[in-house]
Amino acid sequence: TVLANSSLSECGACLRGFRVNPQYVCTPCEKDLTSHDWLYLGFMTILPLIIHWFCIDLNAHLRKFTKGELILHASACVEVFLSAFLTILFTDPIWELRINSCGVQKLSDWYTLFHNPTPNYETTLYCTQEAVYPLQTMIFVFYLFCVTFMMIIRPGLNVKFLPYRGKLAVYYALYIFPILALLHAVAGGLIYYSFPYLSILISLVSNALHFSIKLDQTMKSLLETSITQMRNATIILGHWILLAYGIISIPYEISYFSLLLVPAPALFYIFTAKYTDPDNFK
């Protein structure tokens, strides 16, 4: 690190918000986030929201959207996006809607703990730092805001609109957020590079699960309920948006015409369900 008298400090970890340059000197991180970085942060924002909505819907035990359930869904949306907004404001530069970044060069940048240098194979220098600043720590801050706003906003709404079952969605979230934080700490780098494919996978699996729980697996019934029932149409639309997000996020040159394939998984299930119905094999 360059000291006040223009001399260099002893070799060691850079301060937070600094990263080693090609001359092995710690320099401030002043890069702008890349489009992939923003898409990654978007995925990390969408993931808790999806979990919130799933938990609310799971505990509501309703076949149709009610006013109370919609309000709880809207509350979860407000909690998550308000948390994301404040996380950006509290990230350097503070109170600005932009983020200074060190940039991500390779997977090992996320795991500096395992790359401490040993000059001359003698003494190990512990230089663990956030080389991908601020992509690692800001997610933890975001989760903290999510839990805080959930505990402030949701209990009152649960009492009014879903008095008995609504609290279970909060309990589930209190278990899930520590798991998400642990997952981010351990596999943050892997998620950073694979989130487009995770988005696609989550969309495909949830799409199949949504249709598979229907009692009537005939093509006519699946098609009609997907169009005429608001709840089903909304869930399917959510699957499509997540799938489109994953396709757009793939870091390769992909034609936007591929977005026309977004409805394909749902249509494939509807048109082929009759061939996989267990009743046909009795």
Side-chain angles (χ1 to χ4, degrees), residues 96-109:
E96 293 187 27
L97 290 176
R98 65 184 185 88
I99 298 174
N100 289 337
S101 169
C102 293
V104 181
Q105 299 175 6
K106 52 186 182 296
L107 179 62
S108 59
D109 290 346

Side-chain angles (χ1 to χ4, degrees), residues 23-249:
Q23 288 74 42
Y24 302 102
V25 177
C26 295
T27 55
C29 297
E30 297 177 341
K31 296 180 181 178
D32 291 328
L33 293 181
T34 65
S35 58
H36 187 81
D37 294 337
W38 281 112
L39 289 169
Y40 165 73
L41 293 177
F43 173 78
M44 298 303 287
T45 301
I46 293 171
L47 188 59
L49 181 59
I50 292 174
I51 293 173
H52 274 315
W53 283 347
F54 173 77
C55 291
I56 292 170
D57 190 67
L58 179 67
N59 289 287
H61 297 300
L62 299 172
R63 293 188 176 183
K64 295 182 179 180
F65 283 137
T66 62
K67 177 183 176 182
E69 188 180 357
L70 288 174
I71 289 175
L72 291 178
H73 282 304
S75 171
C77 187
V78 170
E79 294 161 16
V80 169
F81 284 106
L82 182 58
S83 299
F85 179 70
L86 289 179
T87 301
I88 294 175
L89 290 183
F90 279 96
T91 303
D92 186 54
I94 297 177
W95 301 117
E96 293 187 27
L97 290 176
R98 65 184 185 88
I99 298 174
N100 289 337
S101 169
C102 293
V104 181
Q105 299 175 6
K106 52 186 182 296
L107 179 62
S108 59
D109 290 346
W110 291 82
Y111 305 101
T112 56
L113 175 66
F114 303 109
H115 298 277
N116 292 312
T118 307
N120 300 322
Y121 301 98
E122 296 176 351
T123 304
T124 300
L125 298 177
Y126 295 98
C127 297
T128 302
Q129 65 173 109
E130 187 183 7
V132 295
Y133 172 88
L135 297 180
Q136 203 155 29
T137 52
M138 70 182 300
I139 299 300
F140 295 119
V141 175
F142 167 66
Y143 288 158
L144 179 61
F145 275 129
C146 283
V147 173
T148 302
F149 285 121
M150 179 184 67
M151 297 305 296
I152 292 174
I153 299 174
R154 198 84 66 80
L157 295 177
N158 284 335
V159 170
K160 184 173 179 61
F161 297 106
L162 207 63
Y164 299 107
R165 298 184 297 272
K167 62 182 180 181
L168 292 177
V170 176
Y171 292 155
Y172 290 166
L174 291 176
Y175 282 104
I176 290 172
F177 272 109
I179 295 173
L180 289 177
L182 178 62
L183 184 64
H184 175 66
V186 174
L190 298 175
I191 296 173
Y192 176 82
Y193 285 103
S194 63
F195 78 87
Y197 313 104
L198 290 175
S199 300
I200 295 172
L201 180 62
I202 293 171
S203 174
L204 295 178
V205 172
S206 59
N207 177 79
L209 289 175
H210 169 70
F211 284 114
S212 65
I213 62 176
K214 303 296 181 185
L215 296 178
D216 190 346
Q217 289 288 309
T218 61
M219 182 176 66
K220 179 181 179 182
S221 175
L222 291 174
L223 194 58
E224 283 184 356
T225 55
S226 298
I227 297 173
T228 59
Q229 294 184 8
M230 179 61 68
R231 180 177 179 275
N232 287 335
T234 303
I235 292 174
I236 293 171
L237 180 61
H239 294 158
W240 290 0
I241 293 174
L242 184 60
L243 180 56
Y245 189 88
I247 293 173
I248 293 172
S249 302

Side-chain angles (χ1 to χ4, degrees), residues 247 254-263:
I247 293 173
I254 295 180
S255 173
Y256 285 107
F257 286 108
S258 60
L259 294 177
L260 297 176
L261 298 175
V262 165

